[in-house]
């Protein structure tokens, strides 16, 4: 089909057939996941679908980039389970709305840029962990209820489920080698559905998870007391939910940027996500954020514009209103097969190939972030731990780089030319460079190739000067940059040193 005018962005062309088919495929994969997480959290099942409609529509239109799909995601819902159990649904809805407010504030103040602090090994760990979580969550569909107990399928039911999943995977893998005119995931879902329907195969369907029939999302003001105690109760949940949602969203945005070789807007995504969660809180949705699995389904189907997300959202609404009897008959095996292929496609297999080619600390980061994602299902914590560990590794490596070149000039003054940053991690190595007892009466510490970075560095300088002062010797500091001099002057109460002005040498800051 010939590409025609774009929707919203007239600089880009859109293939409408591709966008519509991609949106339909996304909707089919989003329904069971949203239902499953709503039930897991103890919410009414329709809350998951309402969240997918509201979040999907708002972020598709106003979000930070085309191609991203948002919905009722498990990452944010998991945060609210404890609040649901302790205080009930009304407090959950209020917490969702408040999380949206926090997200808008972050977007307005342009704090989304701090996602740049996430190193690549942490990204690898996050994506790999998420791929494993997606895969493991599909295994739950191989369980069934027997006499009120949840057990693994066995016998004929297991063989049928496994066979249909295998057929779905085969279609997803092989169809693109024949034609790419339609998304292979959508074809696989339709083929397996028709096979089960016309041959009357007894297998697990969407209806076995929950009913998807309902009305338009109802407007509902959370019935909670408007007191400071209420804010204190829900605010921690809201802040964690906001952080988790934005972390997953901005990391997904970065991933889509890499895949499509285009650039998204992180702050705009924060505002759009916040707006969608405020609406979720007042229209009976469980809240949501960008969903990396559905986003990858969307991209693999060929979508590069906003239309697919809008189609997916309205498809979910149409199913709630009119199409439930049909969708409830969809075999779960087809959806499981599609999601397994998404998990395989999500995993960064290249990260396994480079294990022997990168520093061990990077391998450790990939593994630890993946493990936290898999076992705690807390993406924000996984990324935070990864960033902190990266910073500590960097500090350790930087600390080892500090060194000193020593010589005595014709006047009998000993010079210490310092190389590398002087900060909290390098102060011990710095102090070991000096020999106060055996040095001459006057020394110069030259910072032309170094800088004093923090309070620990000032204290280290203080300790060195005190050693020389006790033995009646004098210390001069040379070539300090303007910001280092200000830092020392702010610490006059702690340290007294003679900053030597040298007219023959200028600090880089002085030459500008």
């Amino acid at each position: 089909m010939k590409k025609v005018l774009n929707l919203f962005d007239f600089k880009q062309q859109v293939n409408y057939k591709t966008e519509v088919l991609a949106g339909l495929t996304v909707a089919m994969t989003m329904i069971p996941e949203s239902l499953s997480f709503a039930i897991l959290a103890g919410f009414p099942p329709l809350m998951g679908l309402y969240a997918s409609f509201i979040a999907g529509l708002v972020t598709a239109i106003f979000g930070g980039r085309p191609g991203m799909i948002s919905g009722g995601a498990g990452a944010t819902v998991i945060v609210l389970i404890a609040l649901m159990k302790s205080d009930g649904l009304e407090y959950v809805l209020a917490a969702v709305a408040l999380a949206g407010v926090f997200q808008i504030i972050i977007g307005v103040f342009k704090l989304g840029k701090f996602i740049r602090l996430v190193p690549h090994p942490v990204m690898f760990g996050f994506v790999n962990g998420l791929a494993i979580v997606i895969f493991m969550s599909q295994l739950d569909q191989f369980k069934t209820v027997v006499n009120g107990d949840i057990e693994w399928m066995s016998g004929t039911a297991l063989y049928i489920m496994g066979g249909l999943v295998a057929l779905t995977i085969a279609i997803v893998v092989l169809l693109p080698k024949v034609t790419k005119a339609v998304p292979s995931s959508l074809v696989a879902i339709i083929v397996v559905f028709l096979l089960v329907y016309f041959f009357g195969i007894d297998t697990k369907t969407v209806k076995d998870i929950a009913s998807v029939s309902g009305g338009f999302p109802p407007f509902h003001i959370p019935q909670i007391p408007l007191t400071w105690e209420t804010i204190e109760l829900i605010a921690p949940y809201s802040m964690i939910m906001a952080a988790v949602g934005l972390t997953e969203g901005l990391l997904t945005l970065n991933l889509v940027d890499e895949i499509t070789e285009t650039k998204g807007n992180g702050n705009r995504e924060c505002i759009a996500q916040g707006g969608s969660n405020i609406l979720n809180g007042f229209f009976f949705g469980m809240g949501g954020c960008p969903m990396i699995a559905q986003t990858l389904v969307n991209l693999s189907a060929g979508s590069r514009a906003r239309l697919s997300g809008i189609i997916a959202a309205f498809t979910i609404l149409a199913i709630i209103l009119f199409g439930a009897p049909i969708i409830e008959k969809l075999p779960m095996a087809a959806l499981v097969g599609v999601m397994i292929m998404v998990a395989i496609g999500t995993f960064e297999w290249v990260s396994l190939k480079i294990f022997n080619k990168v520093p061990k600390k990077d391998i450790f980061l990939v593994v630890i972030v993946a493990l936290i994602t898999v076992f705690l299902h807390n993406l924000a914590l996984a990324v935070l731990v990864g960033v902190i560990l990266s910073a500590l590794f960097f500090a350790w490596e930087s600390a080892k780089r500090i060194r000193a070149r020593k010589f005595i000039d014709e006047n009998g003054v000993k010079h210490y030319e310092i190389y590398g940053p002087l900060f909290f991690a390098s102060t011990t190595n710095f102090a070991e460079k000096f020999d106060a007892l055996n040095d001459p009466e006057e020394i110069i510490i030259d910072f032309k190739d170094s800088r004093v970075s923090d309070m620990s560095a000032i204290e280290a300088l203080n300790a060195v000067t005190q050693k020389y002062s006790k033995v009646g010797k004098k210390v001069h500091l040379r070539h300090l940059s303007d910001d280092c001099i200000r830092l020392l002057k702010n610490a006059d109460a702690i340290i007294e040193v003679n900053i030597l002005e040298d007219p023959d040498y200028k600090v880089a800051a002085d030459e500008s």
Side-chain angles (χ1 to χ4, degrees), residues 449-478:
D449 295 302
S450 180
R451 68 186 296 112
V452 178
S453 301
D454 59 13
M455 196 67 189
S456 297
I458 294 174
E459 180 56 39
L461 280 176
N462 186 41
V464 169
T465 56
Q466 283 182 352
K467 284 183 180 179
Y468 282 93
S469 178
K470 287 178 180 178
V471 293
K473 298 177 182 179
K474 195 169 188 180
V475 176
H476 302 281
L477 303 185
R478 175 180 283 175

Side-chain angles (χ1 to χ4, degrees), residues 254-509:
N254 277 5
L255 188 63
V256 177
D257 284 352
E258 291 183 12
I259 293 172
T260 61
E261 297 182 351
T262 56
K263 185 67 176 174
N265 187 323
N267 294 311
R268 180 175 172 179
E269 180 61 34
C270 295
I271 295 172
Q273 190 179 144
S276 73
N277 278 326
I278 290 175
L279 289 175
N280 263 295
F282 287 97
F283 283 90
F284 226 78
M286 67 180 185
C289 68
M291 305 171 75
I292 191 169
Q294 279 67 28
T295 297
L296 291 172
V297 167
N298 190 43
L299 296 178
S300 64
S303 170
R304 293 295 183 272
R306 298 180 182 274
L307 181 59
S308 60
I310 296 172
I311 293 295
F314 279 113
T315 299
I316 290 173
L317 179 62
I319 288 169
I320 295 172
L321 299 177
F322 314 111
I326 297 176
I327 298 301
E328 288 175 354
K329 294 180 181 179
L330 276 179
M332 286 302 302
L335 303 176
V336 168
V338 169
M339 295 306 293
I340 287 176
M341 290 307 301
V342 168
I344 293 173
T346 301
F347 196 90
E348 290 281 2
W349 299 100
V350 68
S351 63
L352 301 180
K353 297 179 182 178
I354 62 175
F355 260 38
N356 295 327
K357 302 177 182 178
V358 298
K360 291 182 179 179
K361 63 181 179 61
D362 289 342
I363 298 173
F364 177 77
L365 280 176
V366 172
V367 173
I368 196 67
V369 172
L371 289 176
I372 293 174
T373 303
V374 170
F375 289 104
L376 299 183
H377 289 203
N378 190 328
L379 304 182
L381 177 62
V383 173
L384 179 62
V385 169
V387 170
I388 292 173
L389 289 176
S390 296
L392 291 176
F393 289 149
F394 175 77
W396 178 254
E397 292 297 323
S398 298
K400 293 192 296 185
R401 293 193 184 113
I402 196 162
R403 58 194 189 280
R405 178 175 173 264
K406 310 168 188 176
F407 66 92
I408 298 176
D409 63 21
E410 63 277 7
N411 299 319
V413 177
K414 187 171 183 179
H415 294 247
Y416 286 86
E417 294 181 346
I418 307 300
Y419 297 85
L422 180 57
F423 68 114
F424 68 91
S426 61
T427 53
T428 301
N429 289 341
F430 172 77
E432 292 172 353
K433 309 294 182 188
F434 300 94
D435 185 1
L437 291 176
N438 299 314
D439 277 350
E441 298 300 314
E442 191 172 358
I443 73 164
I444 295 175
I445 306 176
D446 195 328
F447 286 92
K448 182 172 63 175
D449 295 302
S450 180
R451 68 186 296 112
V452 178
S453 301
D454 59 13
M455 196 67 189
S456 297
I458 294 174
E459 180 56 39
L461 280 176
N462 186 41
V464 169
T465 56
Q466 283 182 352
K467 284 183 180 179
Y468 282 93
S469 178
K470 287 178 180 178
V471 293
K473 298 177 182 179
K474 195 169 188 180
V475 176
H476 302 281
L477 303 185
R478 175 180 283 175
H479 290 143
L480 286 167
S481 61
D482 287 345
D483 57 339
C484 293
I485 292 174
R486 284 195 299 270
L487 196 62
L488 290 174
K489 287 182 177 178
N490 290 336
D492 281 344
I494 302 175
I495 181 171
E496 291 184 10
V497 294
N498 180 10
I499 299 175
L500 186 64
E501 299 293 344
D502 190 339
D504 296 325
Y505 299 95
K506 292 295 183 182
V507 182

